[in-house]
Amino acid sequence: FPCRPMLGVIGLAPKGELEISTMPAGKHGGNLDNKINTIGSTIHIPVNHPGALLSIGDMHASQGDGEICGTGVEVSGDVLLSCSITGSSEIAENEYPITETKTHWVTHGVAVEDIPRATTIASEEAALLLTKEWGFSMEDACVFLGVAGDLGLCQAIHPDKG
């Protein structure tokens, strides 16, 4: 298998909570376990508290989509990252994490146990991103996503129970 280092957990402190686990994932990020959260990716996460309170971890040398058997190749390692606040961007209107790569924008439909609902959230977040960031009408965004959008599953092993 190829070596594709990625962070399984990247998140900020959620709204109103004093203490939470990194699992399950939610609007704040957390245990996203998405292999695209890797070297060169930009991850946009809504900030809910002063200082954002960033948490990262759960590094993998490689992991497939869906985390089918409950794990990837777990490793230790060092992470060099840059953080900035982009509150003036239209992306700030999205409620869930968004990963930006050189070629794609990926919305995350998380915080639900119901996989069809998670796909709806990811699709709604993608349509919102298209309307706010690139000026699509909602109708055009839906048509565009139907023709050119891809829907994937990266965290099937640890769905939220609440």
Side-chain angles (χ1 to χ4, degrees), residues 6-14 20-46 52-60 79-84 96-100 108 110 154-155:
M6 52 81 77
L7 288 172
V9 173
I10 184 161
L12 306 179
I20 64 159
S21 172
T22 59
M23 196 167 53
K27 292 179 180 183
H28 64 284
N31 193 40
L32 296 171
D33 270 336
N34 193 324
K35 69 183 182 186
I36 65 166
N37 292 337
T38 187
I39 298 166
S41 296
T42 299
I43 304 164
H44 304 270
I45 304 173
L53 307 172
L54 174 68
S55 175
I56 61 172
D58 190 27
M59 185 179 283
H60 299 83
V79 177
L80 176 64
L81 58 88
S82 173
C83 297
S84 61
Y96 292 83
I98 298 171
T99 301
E100 176 185 352
H108 298 271
V110 295
C154 64
Q155 181 52 294

Side-chain angles (χ1 to χ4, degrees), residues 3-9 31 33 57-63 67 70-75:
C3 182
R4 298 181 306 226
M6 52 81 77
L7 288 172
V9 173
N31 193 40
D33 270 336
D58 190 27
M59 185 179 283
H60 299 83
S62 189
Q63 179 174 296
E67 196 178 10
T71 189
V73 180
E74 309 282 339
V75 296

